[in-house]
Amino acid sequence: MSLADFLSSLQSLQDEASEAFAKVSSQQSLEDARVRFLGAKNGALRQIQKQLGKLDKDEKPQAGQKLNEVKRSLSAGLERATEALADAQSATTGPPADPTLPGEPLRLGHIHPITQTMDHLKEIMGRMGFETAEGPEVEDPWHNFVALNIPEDHPARDPLDNFYLATADAVAGEADSQLMRSQTSTVQIRVMENRQPPIRIVSLGRVYRPDAPDATHFPMFHQMEGLMVDRQVTMANLKTVLRVFANNYLGSDVQIRFRPSFFPFTEPSVEVDFLWNDQWIEFGGAGMVDPAVLSAVGYDPETVSGFAFGLGVERLCMRRHNITDIRDLYSGDMRFLSQF
Ligand code: PHE
């Protein structure tokens, strides 16, 4: 081999290598290029180096100098390719994870505002000695109407004003039909059928009426029913309980007002208004349990008396939190719900 051949093979090695390093795009291609050009055993540079001994003695210094030059250039090329690859990778994957940074926050669910309200109402009433009772949402006409002294021909029983279930063998409104309860007063009957006075319960839950949804109506809403039966329970007890309740839930300055009204299952009956922010607002109905209802559940109206009330849970919740549209409560919109 001549010196000229030696030098030119070094030169073409250098050209090839710089081209190959420029094309490096992965860890694997980087390693392949390193082995191919700089591999200690069979690398291309090593192969040329082996030819050094075949040159004439006086040619060796020049050949050795060029060899070292190319070797340095190849090492530098490899280093640049290594850095370029690392840069390219961090540009796509971002910086390495920092374990000291706070983690991605989990979005925790929370209790629906209506459920929160019901828990709060139960707690207030519980402090006045009212325990919580429950009843089914699918009811029979006995508990929803008959035992509550709502006669057969009463408009409240109209199939168009109730959600009767389409059962195969029952006609809507008949004794064996079923409906979604239209009021929580059903639970008064269920409690009195199973227990003897003294009774002090509240029952909170869903009721259903075929109303078109608007800002103040929804076909499903919630009521808090209250019932107290004992010897000598009076209207004064009713008014006191409701006032203490309103003062706890809406504020100590809230006043209460009764307006004469009518419900088949109470006598006398009243509408309950709370004066709040200078406005009288109706929150529900109440009254003294009608003797006919006490008789229907087997109580003696001569020895016991009682009061009952039914308040709208949504209305209470909306007043307290300044919610203006009942539909917001049931839209499932997290931007609204997450505020509570
Ligand atoms: N159940 C009545 C209604 O839904 C409210 C009420 C309850 C009235 C108890 C009197 C006594 O309108």
Side-chain angles (χ1 to χ4, degrees), residues 78-141:
L78 177 68
E79 205 166 299
R80 275 196 303 278
T82 307
E83 277 168 18
L85 183 65
D87 284 354
Q89 281 176 345
S90 73
T92 49
T93 61
D98 178 353
T100 65
L101 288 174
E104 296 266 322
L106 277 182
R107 195 171 71 189
L108 292 181
H110 70 284
I111 296 172
H112 190 278
I114 287 297
T115 311
Q116 288 183 39
T117 301
M118 293 201 294
D119 289 346
H120 190 179
L121 304 185
K122 283 179 204 169
E123 189 255 328
I124 293 171
M125 294 307 294
R127 278 189 266 141
M128 284 190 275
F130 286 76
E131 60 182 289
T132 305
E134 300 219 11
E137 289 177 26
V138 176
E139 269 293 7
D140 49 51

Side-chain angles (χ1 to χ4, degrees), residues 115-223:
T115 311
Q116 288 183 39
T117 301
M118 293 201 294
D119 289 346
H120 190 179
L121 304 185
K122 283 179 204 169
E123 189 255 328
I124 293 171
M125 294 307 294
R127 278 189 266 141
M128 284 190 275
F130 286 76
E131 60 182 289
T132 305
E134 300 219 11
E137 289 177 26
V138 176
E139 269 293 7
D140 49 51
W142 167 260
H143 291 96
N144 203 84
F145 303 121
V146 182
L148 286 163
N149 204 29
I150 302 175
E152 192 94 51
D153 55 356
H154 195 280
R157 296 178 67 156
D158 193 322
L160 293 177
D161 289 331
N162 292 282
F163 285 115
Y164 283 94
L165 302 194
T167 41
D169 46 349
V171 177
E174 300 282 299
D176 58 351
S177 61
Q178 289 184 306
L179 73 157
M180 305 307 291
R181 66 180 179 191
S182 63
Q183 50 185 352
T184 45
S185 300
T186 53
V187 187
Q188 290 182 36
I189 303 302
R190 290 189 173 273
V191 169
M192 289 190 285
E193 280 174 338
N194 292 307
R195 290 160 59 165
Q196 291 301 312
I199 285 174
R200 252 189 229 204
I201 59 104
V202 282
S203 186
L204 295 93
R206 298 186 185 94
V207 298
Y208 301 84
R209 295 178 193 175
D211 290 330
D214 63 24
T216 55
H217 295 87
F218 206 72
M220 182 281 304
F221 58 101
H222 297 73
Q223 289 185 322

Side-chain angles (χ1 to χ4, degrees), residues 1-290:
M1 170 177 277
S2 71
L3 176 62
D5 286 349
F6 187 86
L7 294 180
S8 88
S9 59
L10 273 176
Q11 188 55 53
S12 48
L13 170 64
Q14 182 167 5
D15 293 347
E16 255 178 80
S18 65
E19 198 179 316
F21 286 145
K23 280 194 198 144
V24 160
S25 62
S26 67
Q27 212 57 48
Q28 187 59 51
S29 55
L30 178 70
E31 178 61 6
D32 288 349
R34 185 191 68 77
V35 171
R36 178 172 156 211
F37 298 108
L38 287 163
K41 250 182 162 177
N42 294 311
L45 186 66
R46 179 82 187 124
Q47 299 297 338
I48 294 174
Q49 193 179 1
K50 282 181 190 161
Q51 308 296 318
L52 195 60
K54 294 181 185 160
L55 293 178
D56 288 345
K57 199 171 176 240
D58 57 345
E59 292 172 338
K60 281 183 183 170
Q62 197 191 343
Q65 196 185 351
K66 179 72 179 169
L67 186 81
N68 283 334
E69 217 173 85
V70 171
K71 194 176 189 173
R72 273 196 302 276
S73 147
L74 258 54
S75 301
L78 177 68
E79 205 166 299
R80 275 196 303 278
T82 307
E83 277 168 18
L85 183 65
D87 284 354
Q89 281 176 345
S90 73
T92 49
T93 61
D98 178 353
T100 65
L101 288 174
E104 296 266 322
L106 277 182
R107 195 171 71 189
L108 292 181
H110 70 284
I111 296 172
H112 190 278
I114 287 297
T115 311
Q116 288 183 39
T117 301
M118 293 201 294
D119 289 346
H120 190 179
L121 304 185
K122 283 179 204 169
E123 189 255 328
I124 293 171
M125 294 307 294
R127 278 189 266 141
M128 284 190 275
F130 286 76
E131 60 182 289
T132 305
E134 300 219 11
E137 289 177 26
V138 176
E139 269 293 7
D140 49 51
W142 167 260
H143 291 96
N144 203 84
F145 303 121
V146 182
L148 286 163
N149 204 29
I150 302 175
E152 192 94 51
D153 55 356
H154 195 280
R157 296 178 67 156
D158 193 322
L160 293 177
D161 289 331
N162 292 282
F163 285 115
Y164 283 94
L165 302 194
T167 41
D169 46 349
V171 177
E174 300 282 299
D176 58 351
S177 61
Q178 289 184 306
L179 73 157
M180 305 307 291
R181 66 180 179 191
S182 63
Q183 50 185 352
T184 45
S185 300
T186 53
V187 187
Q188 290 182 36
I189 303 302
R190 290 189 173 273
V191 169
M192 289 190 285
E193 280 174 338
N194 292 307
R195 290 160 59 165
Q196 291 301 312
I199 285 174
R200 252 189 229 204
I201 59 104
V202 282
S203 186
L204 295 93
R206 298 186 185 94
V207 298
Y208 301 84
R209 295 178 193 175
D211 290 330
D214 63 24
T216 55
H217 295 87
F218 206 72
M220 182 281 304
F221 58 101
H222 297 73
Q223 289 185 322
M224 172 168 72
E225 192 81 12
L227 174 71
M228 175 165 172
V229 185
D230 204 344
R231 288 172 189 276
Q232 292 169 344
V233 173
T234 70
M235 204 86 174
N237 300 136
L238 169 62
K239 202 165 185 179
T240 303
V241 165
L242 287 176
R243 185 176 46 74
V244 171
F245 163 76
N247 289 157
N248 271 278
Y249 187 67
L250 293 173
S252 55
D253 51 344
V254 171
Q255 294 177 40
I256 180 170
R257 173 175 87 175
F258 282 171
R259 277 180 294 120
S261 186
F262 175 81
F263 297 102
F265 36 92
T266 47
E267 181 58 36
S269 302
V270 293
E271 307 272 355
V272 183
D273 299 341
F274 296 146
L275 180 64
W276 193 61
N277 288 349
D278 295 328
Q279 245 189 316
W280 284 107
I281 300 150
E282 185 193 322
F283 280 91
M288 299 308 293
V289 182
D290 195 293

